[in-house]
Amino acid sequence: MPTVFDQFTHRTTDVTAQLAALDIPLTTPARPPADLNPADPWASNYTAPVNRSTLAWCTAATMLADHHHTGIDRQVLAADALLRELGVRGLAQLHSDFCAGAPIDYRFTPCPYCSGIGEDPTQPACEEVGCAPWLEFAGHDHPCPVCHGDDYQPQWIAEERMTELEELLADAIEERERRASLRYRIRARLYTGRRAPNGPTGDGTPR
């Protein structure tokens, strides 16, 4: 019976199969170190190879391809750059960029890396992620590095948001009515002030 973690294996298998079909290598060749120009603040000498068979890279390439409606092959270099510069946590930045820089609420939106389970789907060993030595035998979970373990429960979050929206709407209606009443009183006073000098006296005769 398939487990929830099987989806991550399928994601990696699907992307790497597409790369193989397109004859794209699964590992970028290491680049020779470049001579940095001190006068060029944008110069870089990234030389670390990128493993295109990792879940993080496959996730980045899939996100980019889906967002831009292109094939995986058109997004290979972009995924390479993202993982070189930002690593796995760059997936959160990428997700936010797709939403015009808005923060992502992973309680309501499924995490692109862990699909909402809240744990690191690669199930790394403690030494890989730098856990304290006394935690290595505690059997603790490793939170997802993208959503930081947010509990994906849209059915509860949606209800909370609807309640908040109803409260905001009620406050807005009350504020609109209060302002409308104030504007009415101001207009009434101004109207009365303009009419008073030429208006009738108390006995009905003109002033």
Side-chain angles (χ1 to χ4, degrees):
M1 183 176 180
T3 67
V4 67
F5 285 93
D6 290 338
Q7 63 179 301
F8 307 119
T9 303
H10 294 156
R11 185 189 308 166
T12 304
T13 302
D14 178 58
V15 173
T16 53
Q18 292 184 58
L19 295 179
L22 296 166
D23 201 26
I24 297 174
L26 296 183
T27 303
T28 60
R31 302 176 182 175
D35 294 330
L36 289 181
N37 180 4
D40 183 4
W42 302 105
S44 64
N45 63 343
Y46 288 118
T47 59
V50 175
N51 184 354
R52 293 171 178 158
S53 65
T54 63
L55 180 65
W57 191 94
C58 293
T59 301
T62 302
M63 291 172 66
L64 287 161
D66 290 346
H67 180 75
H68 294 289
H69 305 290
T70 67
I72 293 290
D73 57 312
R74 297 283 300 276
Q75 305 300 333
V76 168
L77 297 181
D80 288 350
L82 178 74
L83 268 295
R84 274 200 188 99
E85 296 182 20
L86 300 177
V88 179
R89 290 174 177 81
L91 298 174
Q93 181 63 54
L94 180 63
H95 200 181
S96 176
D97 290 345
F98 288 161
C99 297
I104 308 296
D105 186 350
Y106 286 115
R107 300 171 304 164
F108 191 76
T109 304
C111 172
Y113 187 55
C114 75
S115 299
I117 66 173
E119 299 178 28
D120 191 327
T122 63
Q123 300 179 317
C126 287
E127 58 269 17
E128 294 180 52
V129 292
C131 295
W134 60 84
L135 293 175
E136 293 186 11
F137 304 101
H140 66 288
D141 295 328
H142 294 124
C144 172
V146 176
C147 70
H148 303 291
D150 278 351
D151 191 10
Y152 175 59
Q153 291 191 355
Q155 64 277 14
W156 295 105
I157 303 302
E159 185 175 344
E160 290 179 6
R161 286 189 171 181
M162 288 300 295
T163 301
E164 293 173 3
L165 181 61
E166 289 173 357
E167 292 174 353
L168 290 172
L169 183 59
D171 291 343
I173 292 172
E174 182 179 348
E175 178 68 12
R176 185 184 65 180
E177 291 175 349
R178 186 184 67 81
R179 290 185 178 183
S181 176
L182 179 60
R183 286 194 298 267
Y184 175 78
R185 292 198 301 270
I186 291 173
R187 283 198 303 267
R189 287 193 176 187
L190 291 174
Y191 181 77
T192 302
R194 287 196 300 267
R195 296 278 294 177
N198 300 318
T201 61
D203 58 4
T205 59
R207 289 181 184 275

